[in-house]
Amino acid sequence: MKTTVTTSVGGKQITIETGRMAKQADGSVLVSSGNNMVIVTAVSSKKQSELDFFPLTVEYIEKYYATGKIPGGYFKREAKPTNDAVLIARLIDRPIRPSFPEGYRYETQVVATVLSADGSFPLEILASLGASAALHVSDIPFNGPTAAVQIARVDGQFIANPTPQQLEKSDMDMIVAGTRNGLLMVEGETKFITEADALAALKFGHNALMPLLNAQDELREKTGSVAKRVFTPPSIDAEFKASAEAFLQPKIAAALAIKEKQDRYAAANTAAAEAEKTLLASITDKDLLKQRKKDLNTIVEDLKYKEARAMILDRKVRIDGRNTTTVRPVANEVGILPRAHGSGLFTRGETQVLGTVTLGTGDDEQMVDSLLGVQKRKFMLHYNFPPYSVGEVGRMSGTSRREIGHGNLAERALKAVLPDHEKFPYTIRIVSEVLESNGSSSMGTVCSGLMALLDAGVPVKGNVAGVAMGLIKEGDRVAVLTDILGDEDHLGDMDFKVAGTAQGITAVQMDIKIDSVSFEVMEQALSQAKDGRIHILNEMEKVMKTPRGQISEFAPRIETIKIRPDKIREVIGSGGKVIRGITEATGVKIEIEDDGTIHIASADPEATKKAIGMINDIVAEAEVGKTYKGRVVKIAEFGAFVEILPNTQGLLHISEISNERVRAVTDVLKEGETIDVKVLEVDRAGRVKLSRKALLQQQQ
């Protein structure tokens, strides 16, 4: 039976419907706003997985029929998810994942499929809402509902779920998600806003979630409040747990006192191996032995969790010996790759990232065939996280979802300081190679990327750095951590990344692993993040503070000239003949924009100069009183037509050929002959009147 609820956020109506489509799924809803529709389904296996983590997968599927388009490519059908689809799937995943019961190990899949879209409403908001609603009305254990909202600010006023036109005028684009108790996720980019503005945006976003949460509760009530499956978290035999904890606790505590990551991990692994040898030696039953090994792994992780948190809250010392506000030692190098257009090596503790910059022309722009049309990307950041960066062996195949997500965050952080394309008409690609990782390689990517931009001579608007903040919370006891380790991320309650300049924030990302965090804690985290960011910026600027005075000798030089738009066709020529001739003669790359802006790119300055000269000759217009060396192209009884400029001819009347009377033009001139002529007049129709006689008189 079809059931529908309707609510409104930001003046836009949103409808959630269930009971009509995909009824064999455990939960399914159709979420719509105007012409935008997303169907979201949720299914959870009835059989528990053997995996030691929650096997949740989220898929966001873009269907081109949703916008009345046929996909491009040879096969003419949707293929692998686009980067945007991967990023939206991550946005859906992050707030719902911590909302499942602790210890839930049943394979669960959420699928959001775009059915209709016109670009007027953020589809990721409908999809996130639908994921929570599908889980909420199902029998799947879920501590929801959750919801998400997009935030913009135009002329000082916050807007929920803005239109694309409003986003263009906004100084922020943030998505927040959470429950009634607080926020669970933040993701966004901003234009140098203050920490106070960021906090105000988060508060506004949380308030905007309430109608969406109320609508889901109403929908569940209308559908009969289906009973949730009975789920009992797995337990460990109390006697075995006690003996294992007694054996392991001092060893794990000693391991966590080791500052170096690999040595710390080795000590913890040794402790686990000793416990297995001591406590499991007498077990002969294979099934029981398998279960006890699994229990032992759980106990080790629980002890790590408790001991690390106790160190911070009770003894005020972190795993590597720092206090809560200290940033690990920072080191920077630039110009270490001779052929790259720019390079920077950023090291912070045991996290090290190599950033490179390549400058290209308009031909290097990325063309993306997206759901709402073709997009051109003049700036790209690609993040690579190989397994050796954490001392592991692993498959190196395609780009992972994590790599896409981390790269997107760093790209948004740096995008705000890139020069305007009109002033610096290059396509820019940054590649981040994570060489070592022990905490926030994405913020390391921001720092190494900025150093590479400076080394490449890119005139950035400001210097950017980033830092990751963490949280340990037990009851009323709270510790906010600056520059977290990988272990502190894993064992903590929050991962809050903030990037920006000394003047303001350019990008934020936050994930909360507990029920909620107060805005007072967020305010403290933002304040500490600013201090950490400024410290890192100061360390970076000791090595390089301003861009190099010129770009790399291996980068293309781009010169920009402007012509009248009606002259573009003359530069291109019939079938591209003229522009092809220029590129073949000089070896340059030429990009022409509709407004008459022409970018000429080459690593050879002389070739660029020659090409500019050829273009100027093509578009040049005859000037009255100026002398030109022209070629006779046609002879008539009344005079000769002389080409004085490419595509520009003038009439040399028979009376203007010589000081003496000329009986026949051919007595004096021949076709193909080169002569000097003076422009006497250019009429309104653009016809040029020439004289040879005037020059002869001057010579007398």
Side-chain angles (χ1 to χ4, degrees), residues 652-667:
L652 177 61
H653 193 266
I654 191 170
S655 63
E656 294 290 338
I657 293 177
S658 177
N659 289 329
E660 289 128 11
R661 186 172 182 275
V662 177
R663 296 177 60 87
V665 178
T666 53
D667 291 344

Side-chain angles (χ1 to χ4, degrees), residues 244-258 264-265 267-275 296-297 299-308 311 315 319 491:
E245 287 181 342
F247 181 88
L248 282 165
Q249 199 281 328
K251 298 179 182 296
I252 295 298
L256 290 179
I258 300 173
R264 182 167 63 249
Y265 283 14
N269 290 338
T270 299
E274 290 175 356
L296 199 58
N297 288 334
I299 292 168
V300 168
E301 293 304 314
D302 286 347
L303 285 172
K304 286 182 185 178
Y305 177 85
K306 293 174 182 176
E307 178 61 24
M311 287 172 64
R315 300 190 289 280
I319 293 172
L491 302 172

Side-chain angles (χ1 to χ4, degrees), residues 672-692:
E673 183 180 357
T674 300
I675 60 173
D676 290 332
V677 290
K678 183 178 182 179
V679 177
L680 297 179
E681 180 186 349
V682 180
D683 65 17
R684 291 184 177 181
R687 291 176 297 215
V688 182
K689 183 179 179 181
L690 305 172
S691 174
R692 180 172 173 266

Side-chain angles (χ1 to χ4, degrees), residues 508-522:
V508 294
Q509 184 185 83
M510 182 183 76
D511 289 291
I512 301 293
K513 304 171 188 177
I514 55 179
D515 180 60
S516 64
V517 172
S518 70
F519 286 107
E520 288 75 20
V521 170
M522 289 186 190

Side-chain angles (χ1 to χ4, degrees), residues 529-671:
K530 182 179 181 180
D531 293 339
R533 184 173 84 240
I534 299 299
H535 170 76
I536 294 170
L537 270 174
N538 290 337
E539 294 298 307
M540 293 164 61
E541 290 177 348
K542 288 178 183 178
V543 175
M544 196 167 196
K545 189 172 184 178
T546 58
R548 294 197 188 279
Q550 61 181 16
I551 62 174
S552 165
E553 62 179 299
F554 302 113
R557 264 66 175 172
I558 298 182
E559 297 289 341
T560 301
I561 61 174
K562 189 96 170 182
I563 66 172
R564 286 196 348 229
D566 62 329
K567 291 284 186 179
I568 292 175
R569 58 187 178 85
E570 296 178 14
V571 177
I572 295 174
S574 177
K577 181 179 179 182
V578 175
I579 195 170
R580 217 167 29 244
I582 298 172
T583 57
E584 289 173 358
T586 61
V588 302
K589 286 184 177 182
I590 299 175
E591 177 190 354
I592 303 178
E593 298 180 9
D594 292 340
D595 65 353
T597 301
I598 301 181
H599 304 295
I600 302 99
S602 173
D604 181 0
E606 289 301 317
T608 302
K609 184 177 179 181
K610 181 179 178 181
I612 290 174
M614 296 174 71
I615 294 172
N616 285 335
D617 287 344
I618 293 170
V619 301
E621 297 180 343
E623 297 180 30
V624 175
K626 189 172 181 179
T627 300
Y628 295 89
K629 190 175 289 295
R631 183 173 61 88
V632 178
V633 294
K634 184 180 179 182
I635 292 178
E637 290 183 7
F638 52 83
F641 291 95
V642 181
E643 184 180 59
I644 58 173
L645 293 167
N647 302 314
T648 301
Q649 297 179 11
L651 173 62
L652 177 61
H653 193 266
I654 191 170
S655 63
E656 294 290 338
I657 293 177
S658 177
N659 289 329
E660 289 128 11
R661 186 172 182 275
V662 177
R663 296 177 60 87
V665 178
T666 53
D667 291 344
V668 182
L669 303 176
K670 295 179 181 179
E671 288 188 7

Side-chain angles (χ1 to χ4, degrees), residues 298-446:
T298 300
I299 292 168
V300 168
E301 293 304 314
D302 286 347
L303 285 172
K304 286 182 185 178
Y305 177 85
K306 293 174 182 176
E307 178 61 24
R309 296 166 72 89
M311 287 172 64
I312 294 167
L313 292 175
D314 298 338
R315 300 190 289 280
K316 311 300 180 185
V317 61
R318 294 162 68 175
I319 293 172
D320 60 357
R322 287 180 292 153
N323 62 22
T324 57
T325 60
T326 300
V327 176
R328 289 170 288 173
V330 173
N332 297 280
E333 296 178 59
V334 294
I336 62 176
L337 303 182
R339 284 303 298 258
H341 299 164
S343 57
L345 183 67
F346 176 83
T347 306
R348 184 192 61 239
E350 293 177 302
T351 295
Q352 185 179 71
V353 185
L354 173 65
T356 66
V357 166
T358 307
L359 303 177
T361 67
D363 290 345
D364 298 308
E365 292 178 1
Q366 184 181 24
M367 303 283 286
V368 180
D369 185 15
S370 70
L371 197 62
L372 297 172
V374 176
Q375 300 173 349
K376 290 184 178 180
R377 299 185 64 210
K378 295 179 173 64
F379 173 51
M380 298 159 278
L381 191 150
H382 298 143
Y383 166 100
N384 299 307
F385 190 90
Y388 64 75
S389 66
V390 288
E392 295 178 356
V393 176
R395 285 189 62 189
M396 298 181 67
S397 51
T399 307
S400 70
R401 291 190 172 196
R402 180 183 180 277
E403 288 173 317
I404 292 173
H406 280 52
N408 180 68
L409 175 62
E411 181 177 309
R412 299 178 95 174
L414 290 168
K415 184 169 65 174
V417 299
L418 293 180
D420 297 333
H421 189 69
E422 293 74 22
K423 297 179 181 178
F424 193 76
Y426 288 87
T427 298
I428 302 174
R429 182 187 184 225
I430 296 177
V431 177
S432 164
E433 305 288 359
V434 180
L435 305 179
E436 297 181 48
S437 180
N438 185 16
S440 192
S441 55
S442 62
M443 293 297 94
T445 293
V446 173

